[in-house]
Amino acid sequence: MIRISNLVKRYGSIVAVDGLSLDIEENEVFGLLGSNGAGKTTTIHMLATLLKPTSGTATVNGYDITTQPAKVRESIGIVFQAPSSDDMLTGQENLYVHSLLYSVPRDTRKKRIEEVLELVGLAERKNDRVKTYSGGMRRRLEIARGLLHKPRVMFLDEPTLGLDPASRETMWKYVRRLVEEEKVTVILTTHYMEEADMLCDRIGIIDKGKIVALDTPARLKAALGGDIIKIKTRAKDADAVARKFDFVQKAEFVNGFLVLAVRNAKRDLPVLLQNIEAEQAEFSSPTLNDVFIQLTGRNIKEQAEGGFMERYAQYD
């Protein structure tokens, strides 16, 4: 559904996207994860024809982003992080206005509005003003609006940011439903690792404009191997710790913690604590956040930011 070949975007001396190549399959939920300035936002801008690449190419639904931008735009829907529905209109009225903007045929307009309202669970609230909607309902209305013209691809920018856990799980259900019922390919950006783990068929981790890891969530976690131990310690040399204990596969300092990859944390942690002065220690099986830290040296949870349209002026 999306084919990216050696895509490059430069802003003067700044290389935001550096020779990116990637294929995204039809009906796939693909997670694009990266910290601030990693290149994910610029990549999405180019795929949505909001930016022209410096070099390289990409196709969306078979249409070239540079030579056929109008066809690409007909093929995509975008749900921005910042709500853009009119608070004073009802949910149904918002969708009607959008159907005019996207030239949804008159003879199918009413039926299509009813279909997308049912899909996102808002049929019973369609005649209520949007100002009475909860945060989760507003996000679902944004998804319904993006689906009106039957796009082949949906870009979802932080779809559950700011929602409570129950609303996030509800949103996950509707995202999966739109993939299954609307046969839409979804490109998702998120800073919630459990969201990426739950929703995404594959994940691409982007850092400094390049894809540094690409696989299913399960395989990315399995690639770390064993368990992760995090120790708050006064020790400064991670390499020295790794050399001292043969069961330590990898060691580095991240956000003030000594982070170690080991085979069996229950067996190895007591040995470490006998030999390292620790203020705090914990262990866990690998998570996607651990994968992200190992690959980039940063914690994505500390990188949450605004929507990609709002970040355009910052190059990413």
Side-chain angles (χ1 to χ4, degrees), residues 64 203 217 285:
D64 189 279
I203 288 172
S285 297

Side-chain angles (χ1 to χ4, degrees), residues 281-292:
E282 59 186 66
F283 71 89
S284 63
S285 297
T287 65
L288 282 180
N289 199 52
D290 295 319
V291 173
F292 192 88

Side-chain angles (χ1 to χ4, degrees), residues 62-229:
Y63 299 115
D64 189 279
I65 62 172
T66 302
T67 61
Q68 300 170 293
K71 288 293 186 181
V72 172
R73 291 172 185 172
E74 290 176 4
S75 301
I76 66 174
I78 303 178
V79 178
F80 299 116
Q81 184 188 135
S84 56
S85 298
D86 191 314
D87 282 357
M88 298 305 294
L89 297 180
T90 67
Q92 184 171 253
E93 289 168 343
N94 268 281
L95 296 182
Y96 178 76
V97 171
H98 198 73
S99 72
L100 298 178
L101 294 173
Y102 269 82
S103 302
V104 177
R106 178 179 296 185
D107 57 343
T108 61
R109 192 177 296 154
K110 182 178 179 181
K111 181 183 178 184
R112 184 59 182 163
I113 290 173
E114 292 174 349
E115 286 175 349
V116 295
L117 283 169
E118 182 66 33
L119 180 69
V120 299
L122 291 176
E124 294 183 0
R125 296 292 301 273
K126 65 181 181 181
N127 293 318
D128 295 341
R129 290 187 178 184
V130 172
K131 68 178 183 179
T132 67
Y133 285 9
S134 66
M137 292 171 65
R138 286 172 181 253
R139 299 299 287 162
R140 281 148 51 195
L141 181 63
E142 302 279 336
I143 289 178
R145 192 177 67 178
L147 287 170
L148 266 177
H149 60 294
K150 295 191 175 182
R152 299 295 305 280
V153 177
M154 282 284 286
F155 294 107
L156 302 182
D157 180 35
E158 301 283 355
T160 65
L161 188 65
L163 301 184
D164 61 78
S167 296
R168 286 218 306 272
E169 290 191 17
T170 299
M171 183 65 74
W172 297 347
K173 178 181 72 174
Y174 287 117
V175 170
R176 268 296 171 193
R177 188 175 175 185
L178 74 90
V179 173
E180 293 168 3
E181 296 187 14
E182 293 285 318
K183 307 304 180 186
V184 176
T185 300
V186 173
I187 316 301
L188 173 78
T189 70
T190 182
H191 284 89
Y192 295 119
M193 292 294 97
E194 70 274 21
E195 182 165 278
D197 204 347
M198 177 70 67
L199 286 177
C200 297
D201 300 308
R202 286 191 305 153
I203 288 172
I205 296 177
I206 187 170
D207 190 46
K208 298 177 182 178
K210 295 178 178 292
I211 295 289
V212 296
L214 176 64
D215 215 327
T216 66
R219 288 176 180 169
L220 287 173
K221 290 182 290 185
L224 284 184
D227 298 324
I228 300 295
I229 294 175

